[in-house]
Amino acid sequence: MVRKKTNPHNIKISYQNLAHTDTTKASIQADIEAVGKIPVVDSILEVICRTTGMGFAAVARVTDQQWIACSVRDEINFGLVPGSELQLETTICHEIRQSGESVIIDHVSEDPQFYAHHTPAMYGFQSYISIPIVRKDGTFFGTLCAIDPKPAKLNNPQVIGMFKLFSELISFHLNAIELLDVSETKLTEERKSKKLQELFNKELSTANKKLAETQYNLQTMVSKLTESEDKLKQAIETGRMGTWSINPNTYEVTMSNFVKEMFGFPLDQEISIEEIVEAVDPDYRQMLMDVLGNAIARHESSDTEYPITNVVTNERKWVKATGKVFLNANGEAAEYSGIFMDITERKMDDIRKNDFIGMVSHELKTPLTSLSAYIQMLHAKARRTDDVFTTGALEKANTQIKKMSTMINGFLNVSRLESGKIQLLKQAFLLDQLVRDVIEETTLTVSSHTITFIPCEPLTITADRDKIANVISNLLSNAVKYSPKGKNIEVRCEIVDGKAQVSVKDEGMGIKQQDLEKLFSRFYRVNSKHTQHISGFGIGLYLSAEIIERHDGRIWVESKSGVGSTFYFGLPFKR
């Protein structure tokens, strides 16, 4: 569905009256009008968007000085209309014109050639395909292209073949239109010439035949698209998936038989929202209603996992539901629909894995506690006898035990978190004092860095003091691990926008943009030559994020590669 053109990307677009005395401008205006005369262009762009799932497709005229849109289908508010002009050097089409080669990108962030290219960064797309349109005489006309802010599966023979066929069809039509224009001009100049009339009729007849062939090819493409949709339905059924749809105005629900069978609903009856919510685990009902409300009110996409109970068999299943809001021409929500998957087996594997991690971690704590006690006794004895070597060795051993204990506690917390057993013991305390305490504890074991604290006024919050201390300690530990020795670490405590905010700033290696979004995911670690020798399992930031979110707070990071990072978290605060 086409959205209202609002140009959300703030693209510098030049809307020019191209039809003036300058020969080049007049020629380009003629090219735009020629594309506008091709009856199948709108259908071609629609088929491209439907087939690839991309939200923007266009036919562009590309010269050695200009990039101009001739025909556009815009479902993502990219902001271009026929006649819009982009600065040539900011486009990939400029490079295609020079090389004559197509460019296909499934996922910009993962593409070794284009992940750092200026064009995707400037226009905000992740998937891109552009095929040259070459005139019959071999000259370069422009491109048939499509983009979308999300990744797409494009680099395959079917999609590339479809684009090349459409490119050839457009080229043929341009040639036919040019022939028709030439013939009309000749007919006007030499109307009485029978020979020219016969030539015109012959060319017109040929053009009509070609148009008929084009129509046939287009019908074939639509038939193939229908066949692809049938195959997609078959794949959905094979992969234990189903489809669902909700009317945002009436809240009428449509779902495939697979979804009804998962819930235990009759296949021949309509199902209401209330019946669906009733079958969802009570702990997840409010979350589901919030997701539905945000989708309809704010047009937000969704990706949720929750347990349901079959109303007939009482069997408990875990499901994953993804959804997207589709808008009408007025920018209003017209449909909220998506995919419904049975993830019970994967979820049970996760539960068994978390139980195993919890069990092993718990079993390791007992001998580790005993070992710590023995080492402390030996350390005290060594100090009494002034045994300097043994005292130093035992201090180092005790440091390693503390590290191992911290790691085991991390795994235990992950297990408790995943199983829903983690508890928040909220109490009122001074946040600024807690930050001081954690910094003092850290400096007892860290002498390689300078930690500077910029305090705020006495700040009382209500939260789980130990868990907030764990978050601060984890951020400080990361700042030490990922910045060179001798560097300064700055800690701030302040009130920002009515929230109690703590930040930890380092002068380390920084984090690349592609890693920022995954940084707070479970077991995720940044992979680089700088981090391969740094210990860790990727659970600290995951636990920190979960703790802050369970306090209705927010955690985030700002970073620049090679300069350093600043981690922030904010918590609710009442004066």
Side-chain angles (χ1 to χ4, degrees):
M1 284 162 267
V2 180
R3 301 178 181 175
K4 184 178 179 181
K5 308 295 187 295
T6 59
N7 190 18
H9 302 284
N10 296 318
I11 303 166
K12 295 181 179 179
I13 304 170
S14 174
Y15 298 93
Q16 302 181 17
N17 179 11
L18 300 176
H20 51 67
T21 56
D22 184 85
T23 304
T24 303
K25 297 290 185 180
S27 174
I28 292 176
Q29 178 65 26
D31 290 335
I32 295 174
E33 292 174 355
V35 173
K37 292 177 183 179
I38 301 175
V40 296
V41 165
D42 289 342
S43 297
I44 287 174
L45 298 182
E46 181 180 3
V47 168
I48 286 174
C49 289
R50 284 183 60 192
T51 303
T52 64
M54 302 175 80
F56 178 89
V59 176
R61 177 72 170 99
V62 184
T63 71
D64 59 346
Q65 296 180 342
Q66 291 177 289
W67 187 104
I68 297 176
C70 297
S71 185
V72 173
R73 183 176 182 85
D74 186 0
E75 299 178 4
I76 58 172
N77 293 344
F78 192 71
L80 296 183
V81 296
S84 299
E85 180 176 348
L86 298 179
Q87 186 176 348
L88 182 63
E89 290 76 15
T90 67
T91 69
I92 297 178
C93 295
H94 174 51
E95 301 170 19
I96 293 173
R97 183 182 184 277
Q98 294 173 331
S99 67
E101 298 294 331
S102 304
V103 173
I104 301 100
I105 309 172
D106 286 348
H107 193 171
V108 169
S109 297
E110 299 177 359
D111 192 286
Q113 183 178 355
F114 288 95
Y115 77 95
H117 198 280
H118 65 276
T119 298
M122 181 174 183
Y123 295 116
F125 60 78
Q126 283 295 314
S127 53
Y128 175 92
I129 181 169
S130 185
I131 304 295
I133 299 173
V134 181
R135 296 182 187 270
K136 187 177 180 181
D137 62 0
T139 58
F140 186 87
F141 174 84
T143 60
L144 174 62
C145 56
I147 65 171
D148 196 270
K150 294 182 178 180
K153 298 294 183 181
L154 304 174
N155 200 359
N156 59 74
Q158 292 78 16
V159 173
I160 296 172
M162 178 184 71
F163 268 76
K164 287 185 176 180
L165 173 62
F166 285 159
S167 172
E168 291 170 1
L169 289 176
I170 293 170
S171 174
F172 163 74
H173 277 291
L174 290 171
N175 184 62
I177 289 170
E178 183 178 358
L179 290 175
L180 288 173
D181 289 341
V182 171
S183 298
E184 288 174 356
T185 301
K186 289 182 179 180
L187 183 62
T188 302
E189 295 174 353
E190 301 179 38
R191 188 176 295 274
K192 296 180 181 181
S193 171
K194 184 178 179 180
K195 187 176 181 180
L196 287 177
Q197 184 66 47
E198 291 174 351
L199 177 62
F200 174 77
N201 288 338
K202 184 178 180 180
E203 291 177 346
L204 183 60
S205 175
T206 302
N208 286 333
K209 289 180 181 179
K210 290 293 186 180
L211 286 173
E213 291 177 8
T214 300
Q215 185 68 24
Y216 172 78
N217 289 334
L218 187 58
Q219 290 174 348
T220 301
M221 288 301 301
V222 172
S223 176
K224 289 181 178 179
L225 178 60
T226 303
E227 183 181 345
S228 297
E229 290 176 345
D230 291 339
K231 290 181 179 179
L232 177 60
K233 290 179 181 178
Q234 183 180 1
I236 288 175
E237 293 173 358
T238 304
R240 291 189 61 74
M241 295 184 289
T243 58
W244 57 270
S245 176
I246 298 176
N247 186 315
N249 299 314
T250 65
Y251 284 85
E252 179 183 355
V253 180
T254 303
M255 55 177 63
S256 64
N257 287 345
F258 173 82
V259 181
K260 289 184 177 180
E261 289 171 354
M262 285 287 293
F263 280 97
F265 296 142
L267 301 183
D268 57 350
Q269 292 183 16
E270 294 184 357
I271 310 301
S272 66
I273 288 284
E274 291 73 18
E275 290 175 291
I276 295 171
V277 173
E278 185 66 25
V280 174
D281 188 288
D283 292 339
Y284 291 82
R285 291 174 185 171
Q286 187 57 49
M287 177 274 293
L288 204 60
M289 295 307 296
D290 291 342
V291 168
L292 176 60
N294 290 335
I296 294 174
R298 304 175 187 173
H299 306 164
E300 294 181 359
S301 297
S302 60
D303 188 345
T304 55
E305 296 181 2
Y306 50 88
I308 64 172
T309 301
N310 188 290
V311 298
V312 175
T313 65
N314 285 327
E315 185 180 8
R316 196 169 188 261
K317 293 278 190 179
W318 275 90
V319 299
K320 178 183 178 73
T322 60
K324 181 180 180 180
V325 178
F326 296 90
L327 308 180
N328 58 23
N330 298 322
E332 301 167 341
E335 181 185 7
Y336 177 40
S337 60
I339 300 294
F340 190 89
M341 291 168 275
D342 180 0
I343 60 168
T344 304
E345 187 174 344
R346 172 174 69 80
K347 201 69 178 180
M348 296 310 296
D349 285 342
D350 286 343
I351 292 173
R352 285 189 289 269
K353 179 176 65 177
N354 289 327
D355 288 344
F356 176 76
I357 290 174
M359 178 190 69
V360 171
S361 300
H362 189 271
E363 290 298 321
L364 285 173
K365 284 201 72 174
T366 302
L368 194 64
T369 302
S370 300
L371 182 61
S372 177
Y374 286 129
I375 286 180
Q376 288 175 13
M377 288 189 294
L378 289 172
H379 181 262
K381 184 177 180 181
R383 291 185 64 182
R384 285 196 299 269
T385 59
D386 294 326
D387 188 341
V388 178
F389 173 79
T390 303
T391 300
L394 289 172
E395 286 176 352
K396 291 178 181 179
N398 193 46
T399 300
Q400 295 303 315
I401 286 177
K402 287 182 179 179
K403 288 183 178 180
M404 186 174 291
S405 180
T406 300
M407 180 185 69
I408 291 173
N409 285 332
F411 282 121
L412 275 172
N413 284 331
V414 169
S415 177
R416 291 167 184 157
L417 192 67
E418 295 292 334
S419 60
K421 295 178 182 178
I422 195 165
Q423 300 291 328
L424 296 182
L425 302 177
K426 292 187 177 181
Q427 58 179 312
F429 62 90
L430 290 171
L431 179 61
D432 55 308
Q433 185 58 50
L434 176 63
V435 176
R436 283 191 181 91
D437 293 344
V438 174
I439 291 175
E440 288 177 4
E441 291 176 6
T442 303
T443 53
L444 291 176
T445 56
V446 174
S447 59
S448 57
H449 294 69
T450 302
I451 302 178
T452 304
F453 179 41
I454 302 176
C456 58
E457 61 186 74
L459 189 59
T460 302
I461 65 170
T462 301
D464 188 317
R465 191 180 191 278
D466 289 341
K467 289 183 175 57
I468 299 302
N470 286 340
V471 173
I472 300 170
S473 178
N474 181 261
L475 297 183
L476 280 172
S477 174
N478 281 352
V480 171
K481 284 197 295 185
Y482 294 99
S483 61
K485 292 181 179 180
K487 292 293 184 179
N488 182 59
I489 297 170
E490 180 183 284
V491 184
R492 285 179 178 268
C493 174
E494 54 192 330
I495 300 173
V496 179
D497 297 331
K499 302 279 187 181
Q501 180 174 296
V502 174
S503 63
V504 178
K505 179 181 179 182
D506 64 53
E507 299 173 352
M509 62 190 70
I511 305 163
K512 293 181 180 179
Q513 187 65 34
Q514 61 263 32
D515 292 314
L516 288 177
E517 294 181 2
K518 306 173 185 176
L519 204 58
F520 297 100
S521 300
R522 184 178 63 168
F523 303 134
Y524 182 79
R525 297 198 69 218
V526 174
N527 243 337
S528 73
K529 62 180 181 180
H530 302 292
T531 62
Q532 58 186 349
H533 299 300
I534 298 176
S535 62
F537 291 91
I539 59 175
L541 289 178
Y542 167 70
L543 283 172
S544 297
E546 291 294 330
I547 290 170
I548 296 301
E549 287 179 9
R550 278 166 167 72
H551 281 84
D552 298 321
R554 175 174 171 251
I555 187 168
W556 72 100
V557 59
E558 296 174 357
S559 182
K560 188 174 181 181
S561 185
V563 176
S565 306
T566 304
F567 284 82
Y568 302 85
F569 69 84
L571 295 170
F573 164 70
K574 291 183 180 179
R575 291 185 179 274

